[in-house]
Amino acid sequence: AVVSTQSTGDQQVQQVLNTDERGCYEASLMNIHTSVTSPQCILTGYPVLRGEVVFRNSSRVANKDDWNVYVMARKVTHSVECQDVMSYLQQTTGAPSNPSYSFQ
């Protein structure tokens, strides 16, 4: 975790940012140690470090685990928000209207 400590008067406040397996802030697309930039997940905005779902008609990708959570949420809730996400994905990536789980 990335830790920042600040003193205000007689109190110390410690802020902690979550890190990933690279040792970088978990939402950082660039690895601060190697300067390698990871692709951005179209669902979460977080870096795709492993286990990606590739959309054939674009250069976009999604984290496999996040994709599977989205597919399950869409099937279970039938929410307007999930439908909006699917409309966006269809427009930007050519994703199928009936997405399936990724086991690869």
Side-chain angles (χ1 to χ4, degrees), residues 3-70:
V3 179
S4 170
T5 305
Q6 298 175 344
S7 296
T8 56
D10 57 348
Q11 293 182 334
Q12 268 196 346
V13 177
Q14 195 173 56
Q15 297 176 328
V16 178
L17 299 175
N18 294 332
T19 56
D20 58 22
E21 64 261 23
R22 303 171 299 172
C24 302
Y25 171 58
E26 66 183 355
S28 176
L29 297 178
M30 182 183 287
N31 183 325
I32 59 171
H33 308 291
T34 65
S35 297
V36 171
T37 301
S38 298
Q40 184 178 29
C41 177
I42 195 167
L43 293 172
T44 65
Y46 277 67
V48 176
L49 302 176
R50 59 183 144 57
E52 65 184 25
V53 174
V54 178
F55 296 93
R56 293 182 206 166
N57 297 337
S58 75
S59 60
R60 305 282 182 116
V61 295
N63 284 308
K64 182 180 74 167
D65 292 343
D66 294 321
W67 175 254
N68 289 337
V69 167
Y70 165 72

Side-chain angles (χ1 to χ4, degrees), residues 64-81:
K64 182 180 74 167
D65 292 343
D66 294 321
W67 175 254
N68 289 337
V69 167
Y70 165 72
V71 169
M72 176 60 82
R74 184 173 181 267
K75 288 182 179 190
V76 171
T77 67
H78 303 287
S79 73
V80 173
E81 293 82 5

